[in-house]
Structures are given as C-alpha cells and as structure tokens.
C-alpha cells in the first residue's frame, strides 16, 4: 500500500501584510514534501520571495501557520540553505572563506571546516578555485560558490530564489543539470523560485503556480520525477507538453487580472 508521508513543511492559510499595508499573500496554502523539487512560478510581485522567507523563518506570517509536521524541533535554521538571486559573496574573502561563512557562524574553525569546504566546492565543480576571489570569477561561477555556501551545512531543505536569472542560457542549462545531480547526490528537498516556464518545466517534480498579488497557489502541476534528466528530455514531447500546460495556466491568470 502506498504510504503518504507527512509534509516536510506545511504552510496553511497564510496571510502576509507588510507594515506599509501591502497584502503580499492571502489564503496561501502549500505543502513541501521530502525529496521533491518544487518550483514556485508566478508574476513579479506575487509573493514568491516572501514565501521562501516565511519557510526559512526570516519573516513571520500575519495570519496562518508554517509548521514542520514530522519534527518536534522549533528552530529549523540549521536545516535550511538559502540561495539568493544575487550571489552576495564577500568580495574581500576568497572562495573557500565564502563557503566557510555559515560554518563559521556556527562556531566551526577553518581547520575543522576544511573537509566540508572542500566537499562543497567539489559538489559544484570548483575544487580548483578555493583560493580565487569573487571578482575573478564569471557570473555562473559566483552562483556556484553561492550554492556551495548554502550546501556547506548539508541542509535538508534548499531554498533558491531565482538563482540563475542573471545567467546566459548556456550557463543556466549547465547549472540546471548540475543542480539535479546535486539533489540526487545529497537527497535534499528543493524549493525553487523562478519566472521561467521552461526552467520550471525542466527542473521540477512539481510546479506550484502562484496568482498575481495577493499570492496564493492556483494550480499544481506534476513534472518529471526528481533526479537528472536524459539528454533527450529538452527535445521531448513530454517537456513541450509541460511547457504548454504551464504557459496556458499563467496566461489564464493574467487574462483574469486584466478583465
Ligand atoms: N519588506 C517589505 N515591506 C513592504 N512590502 C514588501 C516587502 N517585501 C515585499 N513587499 C511587497 O510584497 C509583494 C510581494 O513581494 P515579493 O518580493 O515576495 O514578490 P516576488 O514574487 O518575489 O516578486 P519578484 O518576482 O519580482 O521577485 C510586492 O508587492 C512587494 O513590493
Ligand atoms: Mg522575488
């Protein structure tokens, strides 16, 4: 019999009103399940970054709840890695020291952290760049450092806020494949925010489409299972159909908004 596991994180009936009176989210419900690659897709300003911040505990809902149903811990920050749209590296610190930061903040000396730093850099293919400074790296490489830094704590849950939006398509495709490989190696759960229909269709095991502000989940689409894609996937009918299905829902959303 199929077992239905409890959600890793559960958001229920969330309303988020900022102090300036903006209602970013209203009636927002979402479950994040262990091992999935969940994308949040929606128009600019619909509250996607706000959702990630609520999951990370960096912001509190005005109403509603964010819970971890399978866990009695109250502080989940040590289990979460956050990758921001901008790599936000420390320019004065080399790559290894940037990756060390989350470990250092948890009291780990550089000596104690050295294996973890090396492993994290190896995961993103930057083993030869430990002593390099951010200014000497390409945009794609900086984003890899940012991902290595988020992975340094070996998070169960990786939150990614449009991490590849600033990259050219070739770099983006490569990082997409690397990310799927990383996820299957580390067996982590990923919540990924993107504006891109194509990126969400390629990466996700599930896609949650968020309405224009105030944001709520208006549709969920099942994607391919987690894990690396075959070389043929980008040219497959399955991928084209997914892209079409997602685009149609987004278009219907904006059409309603314009009426
Ligand atoms: N700290 C804040 N104070 C006031 N308003 C905010 C704050 N943070 C976000 N907002 C507003 O809440 C809404 C949702 O913002 P959010 O950044 O979550 O959207 P988003 O979906 O991530 O947008 P984008 O795709 O452009 O990144 C926006 O209207 C934004 O202006
Ligand atoms: Mg955002």
């Amino acid at each position: 019999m199929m077992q239905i596991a409890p959600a890793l994180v559960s958001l229920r009936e969330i309303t988020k009103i900022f102090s300036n009176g903006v209602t970013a989210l209203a009636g927002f419900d979402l479950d994040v399940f262990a091992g999935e690659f969940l994308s949040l897709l929606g128009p600019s300003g619909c509250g996607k970054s706000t959702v990630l911040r609520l999951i990370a505990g960096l912001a509190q809902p005005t109403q509603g709840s964010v819970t971890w149903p399978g866990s009695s811990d109250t502080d989940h920050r040590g289990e979460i890695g956050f990758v921001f749209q901008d790599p936000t590296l420390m320019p004065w610190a080399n790559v290894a020291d940037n990756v060390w930061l989350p470990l250092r903040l948890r009291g780990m000396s550089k000596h104690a952290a050295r294996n973890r730093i090396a492993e994290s850099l190896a995961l993103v293919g930057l083993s030869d760049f430990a002593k390099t400074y951010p200014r000497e790296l390409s945009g794609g490489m900086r984003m890899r450092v940012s991902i290595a830094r988020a992975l340094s704590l070996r998070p169960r849950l990786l939150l990614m806020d449009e991490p590849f939006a600033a990259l050219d398509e070739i770099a983006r495709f490569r990082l997409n494949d690397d990310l799927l490989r990383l996820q299957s190696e580390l067996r982590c759960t990923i919540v990924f925010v993107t504006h891109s229909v194509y990126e969400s269709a390629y990466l996700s095991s599930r896609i949650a489409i968020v309405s224009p502000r105030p944001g709520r989940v208006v549709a969920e689409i099942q994607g391919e299972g987690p894990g690396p894609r075959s070389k043929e996937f980008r040219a497959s009918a399955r991928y084209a159909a997914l892209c079409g299905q997602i685009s149609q829902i987004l278009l219907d959303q904006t059409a309603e908004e314009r009426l």
Side-chain angles (χ1 to χ4, degrees):
M1 204 177 88
M2 208 174 91
Q3 195 89 33
I4 299 181
L8 180 65
V9 188
S10 191
L11 289 81
R12 283 288 171 275
E13 283 294 313
I14 300 269
T15 300
K16 178 67 182 176
I17 305 172
F18 287 105
S19 53
N20 60 358
V22 169
T23 304
L25 302 169
F28 189 98
D29 282 302
L30 184 70
D31 282 324
V32 180
F33 295 100
E36 74 174 335
F37 193 119
L38 172 64
S39 285
L40 295 180
L41 181 69
S44 186
C46 73
K48 304 179 296 296
S49 298
T50 302
V51 170
L52 290 191
R53 292 175 55 78
L54 290 169
I55 294 174
L58 298 171
Q60 299 304 319
T62 310
Q63 277 170 40
S65 62
V66 179
T67 57
W68 293 59
S71 163
S72 53
D73 298 342
T74 49
D75 185 355
H76 297 277
R77 280 173 298 181
E79 302 173 73
I80 296 174
F82 208 130
V83 177
F84 300 92
Q85 177 166 353
D86 187 84
T88 59
L89 303 176
M90 303 179 288
W92 61 87
N94 68 24
V95 163
D97 288 349
N98 269 285
V99 174
W100 174 35
L101 179 70
L103 301 164
R104 198 178 76 187
L105 293 174
R106 305 211 142 230
M108 208 186 270
S109 72
K110 191 156 177 198
H111 185 75
R114 70 191 189 289
N115 287 340
R116 186 53 76 79
I117 296 169
E119 284 163 19
S120 303
L121 287 176
L123 280 168
V124 299
L126 286 180
S127 297
D128 295 339
F129 294 87
K131 297 222 149 55
T132 308
Y133 284 83
R135 66 174 175 276
E136 302 168 282
L137 300 172
S138 70
M141 290 163 96
R142 279 187 210 139
M143 191 40 82
R144 285 175 194 273
V145 177
S146 174
I147 294 170
R149 181 181 56 191
L151 294 176
S152 67
L153 291 171
R154 291 294 176 275
R156 282 169 79 187
L157 177 60
L158 186 58
L159 305 175
M160 306 183 85
D161 198 351
E162 300 191 53
F164 310 139
L167 304 180
D168 67 72
E169 212 153 61
I170 306 292
R172 183 192 274 232
F173 283 5
R174 198 167 290 151
L175 277 157
N176 284 169
D177 283 324
D178 287 348
L179 184 58
L180 291 173
R181 177 184 50 77
L182 270 176
Q183 185 185 24
S184 62
E185 280 174 28
L186 297 175
R187 299 179 180 284
C188 59
T189 305
I190 298 181
V191 181
F192 187 94
V193 164
T194 178
H195 274 127
S196 166
V197 169
Y198 305 100
E199 188 169 53
S200 69
Y202 188 75
L203 290 172
S204 317
S205 52
R206 191 159 62 103
I207 300 136
I209 298 186
V210 182
S211 69
R213 201 182 71 221
R216 64 189 174 85
V217 175
V218 288
E220 289 186 15
I221 295 172
Q222 218 51 49
E224 287 288 289
R229 305 288 176 239
S230 70
K231 277 209 175 69
E232 296 75 36
F233 185 61
R234 259 188 216 286
S236 67
R238 163 78 177 142
Y239 175 63
L242 268 174
C243 292
Q245 191 186 357
I246 300 164
S247 305
Q248 194 56 54
I249 295 173
L250 277 179
L251 284 172
D252 291 349
Q253 278 300 308
T254 22
E256 275 172 34
E257 187 192 24
R258 292 215 176 110
L259 284 177

